[in-house]
Amino acid sequence: MPIPASDIDPFSAAFFEDPFPAHEALREAGPVVRLSRYGVLACARHAEVKAILDDWRTFSSARGVGLQDFAKEKPSRPPSLVLETDPPLHDRTRKVQARVLSPAAIARLRETFAAVAGAMVGALAERGGFDAVADLAEAYPLTVFPDAMGMPRENRGHLLPFGNMVFNSFGPRNAFLEQAVADAREAVAWVFEQSKRENLAPEGFGAGIHAAADTGDLTAEETPQVVRSVLTAGVDTTVSGIGAAIYCLARFPEQFARLRAEPGLARNAFEEAVRHETPVQTFFRTTTRATEIGGESVEEGEKVLMFLGAANRDPRRWERPDEYDIGRRAAGHVGFGSGIHACVGMALARLEGECVLAALARRAARIEITGEPRRRYNNTLRGLASLPVRLVAT
Ligand code: OVV
């Protein structure tokens, strides 16, 4: 069977507004589809997406995990030493991040993260209404994450436009990327400066990564780049994830009621929101050899786009995929990826999500949407720009 073609543009405003009908069309077209606008292959079913993520030898990250092929074009920014690499380099850099962000290290943050979430949600509950994106989904990570990294208080807001630019850069050179690059001009210089050893407090994760230069695990040239990788991936993603969870709990009030009755479900409620909304929607791989995907022959050197969000709602894998169900076994979703590149910060992301949702469940009977939600357009991230809400008192 020839590989079917589709003219769907997954990097367009119409797609960002409502990707779900297109996701379904892509899943139904076949296990692999050619996106004629970009000349790349794409997979939208769970089985193929998972298989690609789990086979780094055939589906390489070293030629970039965006549309741009580093074998054909000079990378438009210095490639990440973790994300845009294969073993053995990947394993060496990843190991340092994984050690610093280990479940044990993250567990030590629990009390602080819960206290900050409680205080922030408490203050918001006192207000008539607020923006769940700016005032909570952004404000919370922008407090706890740079604190944990060991960063100064000033100018942390630069992390958002920086991440927004990098996540846009995995797509085509379209107007969303151009605008994001313009918006991140100051942020770029700031993030590079903040990644230096002398600008990170000795107790934080940043210093923990820099310590790898003393043991010889990384060079002194590599450590700031590995810090920058964490700064890039660690904020906009959790902003999208926390925003998604609040948006889900506001739209599915019976699920919020269930969370209030069973606060132990906060962690799974966040996980299910990551499945349902999928903050990181897409990444590419590049084939290192002729291979097959879902029984279809594919050549060497092909870019393959993985629709993580479509896989996370594939009816072949999930019952009632479009329902947000906090009691569901959400494990097995690919919202954090899978395989050697699976999100290295996921313990941190999950702790943030859990703390915010637990605080909301304690303080509110209901989350009421009081105005039109606005979407944020980004070539990779799915999230809201604004979500006006009110917490209805218990
Ligand atoms: C997962 C992710 C997203 C963006 C940047 C990076 C990683 C990085 O390693 O720089």
Side-chain angles (χ1 to χ4, degrees):
M1 282 253 292
I3 293 175
S6 167
D7 70 354
I8 284 170
D9 183 357
F11 306 108
S12 64
F15 187 92
F16 300 150
E17 282 294 339
D18 184 11
F20 302 110
H23 282 165
E24 184 180 9
L26 290 162
R27 281 189 306 257
E28 294 309 312
V32 56
V33 180
R34 188 167 295 280
L35 298 182
S36 45
R37 283 166 194 264
Y38 300 106
V40 298
L41 298 176
C43 295
R45 296 181 185 174
H46 185 276
E48 281 74 28
V49 168
K50 174 90 166 64
I52 291 168
L53 287 168
D54 289 341
D55 182 3
W56 61 267
R57 288 172 200 276
T58 310
F59 299 97
S60 169
S61 292
R63 286 165 71 165
V65 296
L67 176 62
Q68 195 187 32
D69 184 350
F70 295 172
K72 295 177 180 162
E73 268 182 273
K74 183 178 156 325
S76 45
R77 43 170 217 110
S80 164
L81 295 180
V82 192
L83 180 74
E84 292 156 317
T85 58
D86 293 333
L89 172 57
H90 164 271
D91 295 359
R92 194 161 59 78
T93 50
R94 160 96 183 193
K95 201 171 290 169
V96 173
Q97 288 183 343
R99 184 167 65 217
V100 169
L101 300 170
S102 72
I106 302 305
R108 289 193 277 274
L109 298 171
R110 176 174 285 275
E111 221 180 308
T112 308
F113 276 35
V116 174
M120 207 172 266
V121 169
L124 293 171
E126 305 287 315
R127 281 167 55 176
F130 61 95
D131 188 335
V133 175
D135 300 329
L136 186 53
E138 292 181 351
Y140 183 73
L142 278 178
T143 301
V144 297
F145 176 81
D147 278 355
M149 288 298 294
M151 301 176 77
R153 280 275 136 87
E154 305 77 46
N155 300 315
R156 291 174 170 191
H158 282 317
L159 289 166
L160 290 174
F162 186 79
N164 184 54
M165 173 196 70
V166 173
F167 280 97
N168 267 302
S169 74
F170 300 127
R173 213 163 228 302
N174 58 15
F176 303 117
L177 175 58
E178 300 292 349
Q179 185 63 51
V181 169
D183 292 346
R185 274 210 26 236
E186 274 184 69
V188 173
W190 181 87
V191 168
F192 275 72
E193 187 61 25
Q194 296 310 311
S195 301
K196 293 181 180 169
R197 191 167 198 172
E198 64 265 31
N199 292 323
L200 292 155
E203 330 70 71
F205 293 146
I209 291 172
H210 279 290
D214 303 335
T215 53
D217 291 327
L218 297 176
T219 68
E221 202 185 325
E222 289 168 330
T223 45
Q225 298 183 68
V226 174
V227 170
R228 179 155 43 84
S229 154
V230 176
L231 295 184
T232 311
V235 182
D236 298 63
T237 47
T238 50
V239 168
S240 273
I242 292 167
I246 300 168
Y247 191 39
C248 284
L249 289 165
R251 285 175 299 164
F252 296 85
E254 79 290 350
Q255 297 300 309
F256 192 74
R258 185 167 177 199
L259 176 61
R260 283 181 43 78
E262 295 177 67
L265 287 176
R267 201 168 173 85
N268 202 57
F270 180 70
E271 201 68 26
E272 169 69 347
V274 174
R275 181 197 70 82
H276 192 267
E277 289 291 313
T278 312
V280 177
Q281 286 274 299
T282 47
F283 269 128
F284 289 83
R285 295 290 187 262
T286 312
T287 55
T288 57
R289 59 177 176 89
T291 183
E292 57 163 270
I293 300 174
E296 304 292 347
S297 297
V298 165
E299 289 178 14
E300 183 278 333
E302 290 271 17
K303 279 274 174 183
V304 185
L305 178 58
M306 301 175 291
F307 282 101
L308 307 176
N312 281 345
R313 293 190 186 206
D314 183 354
R316 294 160 190 79
R317 171 63 179 76
W318 308 96
E319 284 170 29
R320 303 167 287 104
D322 298 328
E323 275 176 41
Y324 174 69
D325 173 1
I326 69 170
R328 174 200 298 277
R329 285 170 65 85
H333 74 74
V334 290
F336 287 120
S338 181
I340 66 166
H341 288 279
C343 179
V344 74
M346 64 185 154
L348 184 57
R350 284 169 171 151
L351 181 63
E352 290 183 28
E354 179 188 352
C355 288
V356 170
L357 298 193
L360 285 167
R362 278 197 307 271
R363 285 302 297 242
R366 207 152 45 79
I367 304 169
E368 189 177 272
I369 299 177
T370 56
E372 201 56 47
R374 269 190 308 113
R375 202 147 277 292
R376 173 159 290 150
Y377 298 149
N378 182 289
N379 287 328
T380 302
L381 292 176
R382 174 172 172 78
L384 295 172
S386 167
L387 177 62
V389 297
R390 187 169 77 83
L391 298 183
V392 179
T394 53

